[in-house]
Amino acid sequence: MVCALLSLPFAAWAQDVSRDAMAGRMAAHDAPVLLDVRTPAEYRDGHLAGALNVPVDEVAARNGALGIKRDQELVVYCKSGKRAARARDTLQSLGYTNVHLLEGSADAWRADGRPLVKESPNH
């Protein structure tokens, strides 16, 4: 395991926030800004409480409208982590300096049995 970690670029693993740490911060009402970069349909199907939904392909275009300071802590997640990594890279290229990934993203959060908020369709 250590050998595998050493072969990854530093940024690939050093910036992840563990699910346990995130759950603890959420329980203490000390959560950072959570950014869910999945599709609106995936978001409606279950997301972390308080997460903003900005699909990964819209992150660059909508970054100014989010009202997030460039040094504010952001934790990004998607379904498995690939889109979250893309969004993190985009945000960092736009000058955001405190962007992290949620370890395991939404799939792992769900597999842990942690709570997700489901949106009701508008009628």
Side-chain angles (χ1 to χ4, degrees), residues 13-107:
W13 57 270
Q15 295 185 4
D16 287 359
V17 173
S18 76
R19 295 183 306 280
D20 286 341
M22 182 55 61
R25 290 187 65 186
M26 290 171 77
H29 304 287
D30 182 38
V33 174
L34 291 167
L35 194 61
D36 183 324
V37 296
R38 299 175 300 161
T39 66
E42 288 172 302
Y43 178 83
R44 282 190 302 274
D45 190 45
H47 61 273
L48 277 69
L52 302 171
N53 181 221
V54 179
V56 67
D57 292 333
E58 298 176 20
V59 168
R62 292 179 53 191
N63 86 86
L66 296 176
I68 301 168
K69 295 177 186 169
R70 301 233 187 256
D71 64 348
Q72 192 169 356
E73 185 180 8
L74 280 163
V75 174
V76 183
Y77 72 93
C78 61
K79 181 180 186 315
S80 65
K82 291 182 179 91
R83 287 176 282 178
R86 276 182 43 211
R88 178 200 55 209
D89 293 347
T90 298
L91 289 163
Q92 288 175 334
S93 75
L94 293 168
Y96 289 85
T97 58
N98 200 2
V99 184
H100 308 283
L101 301 178
L102 177 63
E103 173 194 48
S105 265
D107 279 353

